[in-house]
Amino acid sequence: MARPISRRAALTGLGLAAASAGCLGRTENIAGRDPHSQLTLEINTTPADADPNGIRIVRQLEEHLTAVGVDVRLNTVGQTDLWRKVLINQNFDVYVGQFVETDPFDPDALYGLTHSRFVAEPGWQNPFGLTEIAVDDLLERQRRATAGERSDAVAALQETVCDLQPFSVVAFPDALTAVQENRFEGWTEDRQPVSVSGLLGLDRAPPEDESAGDGDASGGNATAADADDESERVLRLVTTDDRITQNWNPIAAEFRRHGTFTGLLYDPLVRADEGSIVPWLAADWERVDATAVDVTLRDARWHDGEPVTADDVAFTYRFLRDTSLGSVETPVPTPRFRGRSSLVEDERALDDATVRLTLPDVNDRVAARALQVPVLPEHVWADRTEAATIAGFEFDFETTEAVVSNNPDPVGSGPLRFVEATAEESVVFERNPDHFLVRPAPDADDETAAPRAGIPPRYHGKPAFDRLRVEVLPSDISAVEAVAEGLADATAANLGPASVPRIGRSDAARLVSGRSAAFYHVGYNTRRSPLSNPRFRAVVARLIDKAALVDEAFDGYAKAAASPLAASPDAVPSSLAWDDGRDPVHPFFDDDGSLDVAAAREAFRGIGYRFDDEGRLLSRGQ
């Protein structure tokens, strides 16, 4: 009898005999192989120093797949290379990663993730290659339905996606951030501290707190940097992710994690804020009829001084649909925001400040999502439509300069503007003094007056800092120490659980923990056999012990889930509610805390697979 694999054995240690990164272009599909050979799967992820949580998920899955007879090839690559491999080239079997949303998102986010209309496009739009009529129908239905009818459609959609498993949700980690409040306050669990809303919601600490913290934080030794911080209030963040020091392209999927800093460089028409939709670059919008929305812009300027016009908004939607603007044979849509921008079928500037967007007949909530894309300056991006390549990389899709450019000297209209950067070391942004958040209202006593009517008062006059400096450090531990020693105000990247005790031992640092919508998941390339078989994916999903991962990999700082909408509990039907440590759809093959290898093998036999005399799972069910 096969020995069970204990939870702790599967999770102990992070040392991996990882395969080399290899070429990120077209390579031979190793999933399946010869019908009389052992079934082989490649699992892609980032290394332990980049994402210790992800590598622990991979470690467990590798142990369990190996135990049931699958030959597993592990491939660890950098974060940018992983997303190029998965999102751009779609050259993978299985990957483990974290979704990019930070706030609970509208169910329509599943449209971009799973609709078959996007199967041939690179980016976050259906990277799994799912083609399922039932999913498409429910995605379209939830877009049109209102109120209770939409809730029913969303429930059915989640049940169908969870049953088919194009990706397996593992857990929603807590967003762990180390902060010190001597200089800035307002770090709260209600919203992610290092997010657009979190950073804009900060206030300067009272003078008495500032004087207590600035001088003694590093042993009482004031530095020139401290003096600069005093005269020009600088928010100092530290991160282990160096991508923001090299790339400021808001539509580059492989370089964006959560998009916080590009979200401060570029304004959308509206923002989702604490469950509500608030006007942002748009002063107002109204539905003219079932398929048209007129958007009126605030008085705003690009960072280079040019006015933001309705022509820029109309250009943005044309550009997001096809970044070549017709200059190449096949349209090249943006690899980000595709689910949202695809809602806009036509756009037309009515005057300098008003644009009419033509939408399908969708409900108001979905229509508002169409307005949540970064507005781009036409005079900058219109010159980036030519076909492009990246030296050393082979793309399976034609791409454009707009998609591959790192967008040096970014020109947005947002509350922050770019100052300077040193690649892999640091980047500096400064407060945009001409932003509508900063510009005083005509009537100082009337907070509802233009230019920021409709925007929550906590954002008026923000940001509270003159400059924002993000410094790259080698590890979570060094990032926490920088905060504890008063050298930084907060960590910008989500910390691993191992950092929590160090925060607790510091008198100066405080842990801010909140739930994130950026769930960890195992993604499957459904274009490839045997991963094209939903029954095969369902058995693989049952090899993931989510409860053990939450307890031992995330140290309890996460919530196991079945549905990708679990960050919004009201959106999840009872049939998908996590119940007493057990996945409600594809429960782990559990044998008193261990993997039940015999039960897992029997499940593979039940869908037509065979094992050889040595217990190896054979390809293609032969």
Side-chain angles (χ1 to χ4, degrees):
M1 177 180 294
R3 295 181 60 190
I5 301 295
S6 71
R7 292 179 174 181
R8 187 165 295 279
L11 292 168
T12 299
L14 296 179
L16 298 175
S20 64
C23 176
L24 295 180
R26 173 69 65 187
T27 60
E28 182 182 2
N29 175 11
I30 67 171
R33 295 287 191 180
D34 184 86
H36 300 291
S37 67
Q38 184 178 16
L39 190 147
T40 300
L41 291 175
E42 181 185 80
I43 304 179
N44 297 274
T45 195
T46 52
D49 58 354
D51 187 355
N53 296 328
I55 208 72
R56 288 184 173 103
I57 296 171
V58 169
R59 180 65 175 173
Q60 185 199 79
L61 184 58
E62 184 266 345
E63 292 276 2
H64 290 175
L65 283 168
T66 300
V68 299
V70 177
D71 176 28
V72 177
R73 310 282 177 86
L74 297 178
N75 187 31
T76 56
V77 295
Q79 186 68 76
T80 299
D81 291 343
L82 174 66
W83 291 141
R84 278 184 176 151
K85 187 177 181 70
V86 171
L87 304 178
I88 307 301
N89 287 332
Q90 300 168 353
N91 178 30
F92 69 100
D93 295 338
V94 180
Y95 77 89
V96 172
Q98 192 176 10
F99 193 52
V100 297
E101 295 282 349
T102 56
D103 298 317
F105 54 87
D106 187 87
D108 192 62
L110 292 176
Y111 193 98
L113 271 183
T114 58
H115 200 291
S116 65
R117 67 178 290 189
F118 302 124
V119 71
E121 296 184 10
W124 272 111
Q125 49 272 15
N126 199 356
F128 320 105
L130 183 68
T131 53
E132 178 60 50
I133 293 176
V135 172
D136 290 351
D137 288 346
L138 287 165
L139 287 167
E140 298 292 348
R141 179 182 159 196
Q142 65 83 29
R143 282 193 155 183
R144 296 188 301 270
T146 58
E149 291 181 356
R150 189 182 189 219
S151 296
D152 292 341
V154 169
L157 172 62
Q158 291 174 80
E159 290 170 342
T160 304
V161 170
C162 290
D163 181 56
L164 293 172
Q165 289 290 289
F167 57 92
S168 297
V169 176
V170 177
F172 288 76
D174 290 351
L176 304 177
T177 306
V179 306
Q180 62 100 347
E181 299 171 297
N182 291 331
R183 305 171 70 252
F184 295 94
E185 60 185 16
W187 312 97
T188 71
E189 287 81 3
D190 297 336
R191 50 186 179 271
Q192 280 219 10
V194 185
S195 63
V196 171
S197 60
L199 293 177
L200 289 181
L202 292 177
D203 292 301
R204 295 187 183 185
E208 58 270 22
D209 292 339
E210 293 173 352
S211 61
D214 287 344
D216 297 332
S218 29
N221 297 320
T223 65
D226 293 330
D228 289 343
D229 285 355
E230 190 65 33
S231 61
E232 187 179 65
R233 189 61 65 184
V234 179
L235 177 66
R236 307 159 304 174
L237 303 179
V238 285
T239 183
T240 57
D241 187 347
D242 65 10
R243 285 177 292 171
I244 192 57
T245 69
Q246 304 176 69
N247 186 291
W248 305 275
N249 187 336
I251 63 174
E254 71 269 37
F255 280 93
R256 302 280 72 80
R257 185 169 187 177
H258 303 313
T260 295
F261 301 112
T262 54
L264 289 164
L265 290 172
Y266 294 89
D267 285 319
L269 294 171
V270 305
R271 287 194 185 280
D273 184 71
E274 298 186 351
S276 300
I277 302 298
V278 300
W280 203 255
L281 187 57
D284 193 14
W285 71 94
E286 64 174 339
R287 298 197 71 146
V288 180
D289 54 39
T291 61
V293 175
D294 282 357
V295 180
T296 303
L297 300 179
R298 298 183 195 276
D299 179 19
R301 291 189 174 273
W302 299 109
H303 296 158
D304 60 6
E306 294 292 319
V308 178
T309 68
D311 286 330
D312 290 308
V313 177
F315 164 81
T316 295
Y317 285 99
R318 288 195 302 273
F319 192 69
L320 294 181
R321 284 200 303 272
D322 179 13
T323 57
S324 78
L325 294 179
S327 66
V328 300
E329 184 175 348
T330 303
V332 184
T334 173
R336 291 192 76 209
F337 308 109
R338 184 73 173 104
R340 302 176 188 187
S341 65
S342 65
L343 280 161
V344 178
E345 299 173 341
D346 190 40
E347 56 287 312
R348 178 165 58 96
L350 302 181
D351 55 44
D352 285 349
T354 310
V355 62
R356 176 165 294 176
L357 305 178
T358 301
L359 311 173
D361 186 7
V362 297
N363 58 59
D364 289 345
R365 188 75 185 191
V366 171
R369 275 181 53 78
L371 309 184
Q372 297 173 50
V373 301
V375 176
L376 306 174
E378 182 176 11
H379 65 282
V380 173
W381 290 84
D383 294 332
R384 300 177 179 178
T385 60
E386 295 183 359
T389 59
I390 296 181
F393 295 98
E394 176 187 342
F395 290 97
D396 292 338
F397 298 87
E398 193 161 26
T399 190
T400 63
E401 181 66 25
V403 174
V404 303
S405 169
N406 67 349
N407 192 29
D409 298 321
V411 176
S413 64
L416 290 187
R417 58 190 185 188
F418 176 80
V419 177
E420 61 183 3
T422 301
E424 301 181 1
E425 293 184 12
S426 64
V427 60
V428 178
F429 306 99
E430 67 182 2
R431 193 174 193 247
N432 177 9
D434 196 37
H435 195 264
F436 49 80
L437 291 182
V438 179
R439 215 178 300 138
D443 181 353
D445 296 326
D446 183 5
E447 287 292 350
T448 65
R452 46 182 181 251
I455 296 176
R458 64 179 172 277
Y459 300 133
H460 293 188
K462 301 296 181 69
F465 42 86
D466 299 317
R467 286 200 166 201
L468 168 62
R469 176 182 174 86
V470 184
E471 184 176 356
V472 179
L473 295 180
S475 68
D476 283 357
I477 299 303
S478 58
V480 170
E481 289 176 347
V483 176
E485 293 172 6
L487 303 176
D489 299 298
T491 56
N494 287 346
L495 299 171
S499 305
V500 174
R502 288 180 177 264
I503 301 173
R505 291 193 294 269
S506 168
D507 293 332
R510 178 171 74 87
L511 174 68
V512 179
S513 174
R515 189 71 64 192
S516 171
F519 57 87
Y520 277 91
H521 61 286
V522 178
Y524 310 107
N525 192 343
T526 70
R527 306 168 185 86
R528 296 181 172 182
S529 177
L531 297 165
S532 56
N533 184 345
R535 295 188 299 167
F536 180 87
R537 299 194 300 269
V539 177
V540 173
R542 296 190 63 186
L543 297 176
I544 305 170
D545 189 351
K546 301 177 184 180
L549 286 167
V550 166
D551 290 342
E552 300 178 26
F554 292 93
D555 202 21
Y557 290 99
K559 182 178 180 181
S563 168
L565 300 183
S568 304
D570 293 342
V572 178
S574 58
S575 59
L576 299 181
W578 194 262
D579 183 23
D580 195 26
R582 179 180 172 86
D583 190 299
V585 184
H586 300 295
F588 174 61
F589 293 111
D590 190 6
D591 180 15
D592 194 23
S594 302
L595 172 66
D596 190 335
V597 176
R601 288 182 174 177
E602 187 59 32
F604 277 116
R605 291 189 184 96
I607 60 173
Y609 282 81
R610 296 176 56 194
F611 296 83
D612 64 13
D613 293 340
E614 297 181 13
R616 297 179 300 184
L617 182 64
L618 299 179
S619 296
R620 303 177 190 171
Q622 302 296 318

